[in-house]
Amino acid sequence: MPDAIVVGAGLSGLVCATRLVAAGVDAVVVEARDRVGGRLETGAVGGATVDLGGQWMSVGQPRLAALAAELGVASFPQRRDGRHAIALATRGWLAQIGAAFAQWRAIRTIRRLAIAVPDDADSLAGWLDHAVPNPTARALIGLHASLVFAVEPEDLALAGYLQRLAVTGDFAPRGPELPGGGREHRFVGGAQELALRLAGSLGGRVVLGAPVRAIVETADAIRVDERTARRVVLALPPHLARAIAGLPPDAAQVGSVVKCFAAYDRAFWRDAGLSGEGYHPGADVRATVGLESPDGGPAVVLAFVVGRAARGWAARDPEARRASVLATLVAQFGDAAATPIAYREVDWGVDPWSGGCVASVPPGARGTPERAPRGRIHFAGTETAVAWPGYMEGAIEAGERAAAEVVAAL
């Protein structure tokens, strides 16, 4: 009988397992999918390597940087030079200056509130409506929130939003690129390479294609389906972990993300001095990012569909979805965007082992993710992290914390 079973071979579960094994604990990882990585997955579009799930390493994420160095996974800067396209109705330099000043004041206010979070039942949208009269500034801050948390501002509790913002890099990086903060580096070979190398270090301790349906705790052990151990770690999205642990269903609204990739022979948008980044408040495609390999080759525009539009995306006709995305790209980049060499969508909301997006519980939602152990059950997964919940950095922190709990309990 192993000392511990870790359920979930995403980044958090694999970090937990490697730390357990390093401490002399006999641990095994069971994973429902036929691959490791969880919400990290590398794929290809038109010959270009892309991250279908989580992908960026941001400033202020020391655990992720240290893990990548430990595993020998190199990173490279996300290219962001050039002009960003922001689809707002602001006209004239006076109006633009006014909007920029209003945005600056609103961000200062949000940062002050995040230090001493008010007991406020308002939503972020409700607070913006009465606290930020400038419509452009209001739209940009709401856009930032929807991109970071994958739900609409009206679905974000103000207090939860402020608390989460304070531990996920604030509005970094500073400057006019407010809607696109937190994209500094990508990983060579894709972020899933981190999970693949962790799993490789565990050898035969990782069991794939083994979904866990139930756990039963006894006086001296815990049974995970047909396997028995002394402790179990649930390194899963919170709604899946709660179901397996026999806890009440999570009442939280799950954030939703669809990533749409259009590949081209080259980064033609550079000819016009554009960065590839675009922001479209209220549209189906809320943002775009240009993805270019430092070694050359095909370039990709990644389009994000989030929140309400993402929740209904799968019900729409596939050709209509593709046409909607390409229409946005044509409006942003010109006619050359109409004919990609390849197109691909990844809807994390219809993935049964994710059920949402890279971070499945938005801030301020009811049903706070379980963090404290319950009997012989421990909880990992990025949503349970204290710092950077919803990011790879948070996944590592949570995995390390859960491993330390198990070691202390054995």
Side-chain angles (χ1 to χ4, degrees), residues 162-304:
L162 293 169
Q163 291 169 337
R164 183 74 66 84
L165 192 68
V167 295
T168 52
D170 187 56
F171 288 102
R174 307 289 190 263
E177 60 277 347
L178 169 65
R183 295 196 302 270
E184 279 75 46
H185 289 81
R186 294 161 55 201
F187 292 104
V188 175
Q192 191 185 6
E193 188 65 25
L194 299 167
L196 291 169
R197 297 194 184 191
L198 284 169
S201 73
L202 290 168
R205 296 176 181 271
V206 179
V207 181
L208 301 178
V212 171
R213 304 301 182 186
I215 58 178
V216 177
E217 188 168 355
T218 63
D220 57 358
I222 188 163
R223 191 169 71 250
V224 180
D225 289 343
E226 302 306 316
R227 297 176 175 85
T228 302
R230 297 169 64 189
R231 295 274 160 174
V232 64
V233 178
L234 297 180
L236 303 168
H239 63 290
L240 298 179
R242 293 178 70 88
I244 294 174
L247 298 173
D250 194 338
Q253 176 189 12
V254 176
S256 297
V257 160
V258 181
K259 297 181 76 172
C260 306
F261 302 87
Y264 301 91
D265 289 323
R266 64 184 188 88
F268 63 85
W269 49 90
R270 293 286 174 191
D271 298 342
L274 298 175
S275 66
E277 293 190 28
Y279 303 101
H280 307 270
D284 283 351
V285 172
R286 206 64 59 89
T288 67
V289 180
L291 304 177
E292 302 169 53
S293 169
D295 300 326
V300 175
V301 176
L302 165 58
F304 287 96

Side-chain angles (χ1 to χ4, degrees), residues 41-69:
E41 183 178 6
T42 301
V45 182
T49 297
V50 296
D51 285 291
L52 306 179
Q55 66 189 84
W56 281 295
M57 177 169 61
S58 302
V59 294
Q61 296 183 342
R63 286 181 174 86
L64 181 55
L67 180 65

Side-chain angles (χ1 to χ4, degrees), residues 273-374:
L274 298 175
S275 66
E277 293 190 28
Y279 303 101
H280 307 270
D284 283 351
V285 172
R286 206 64 59 89
T288 67
V289 180
L291 304 177
E292 302 169 53
S293 169
D295 300 326
V300 175
V301 176
L302 165 58
F304 287 96
V305 179
V306 303
R308 196 170 297 118
R311 290 197 296 274
W313 197 250
R316 298 175 59 179
D317 176 74
E319 285 303 315
R321 298 194 309 248
R322 184 179 189 275
S324 176
V325 171
L326 293 183
T328 299
L329 301 188
V330 168
Q332 183 174 323
F333 300 120
D335 291 341
T339 53
I341 59 175
Y343 178 84
R344 182 173 182 177
E345 296 178 353
V346 181
D347 187 343
W348 286 92
V350 299
D351 181 336
W353 309 119
S354 297
C357 65
V358 177
S360 66
V361 177
R366 299 184 304 278
T368 301
E370 296 288 327
R371 182 180 296 132
R374 286 179 174 254

Side-chain angles (χ1 to χ4, degrees), residues 15-49:
V15 165
C16 180
T18 54
R19 300 302 185 257
L20 288 172
V21 171
V25 175
D26 183 12
V28 63
V29 181
V30 294
E31 165 60 42
R33 295 177 171 94
D34 60 0
R35 62 171 180 82
V36 300
R39 289 169 282 182
L40 302 181
E41 183 178 6
T42 301
V45 182
T49 297

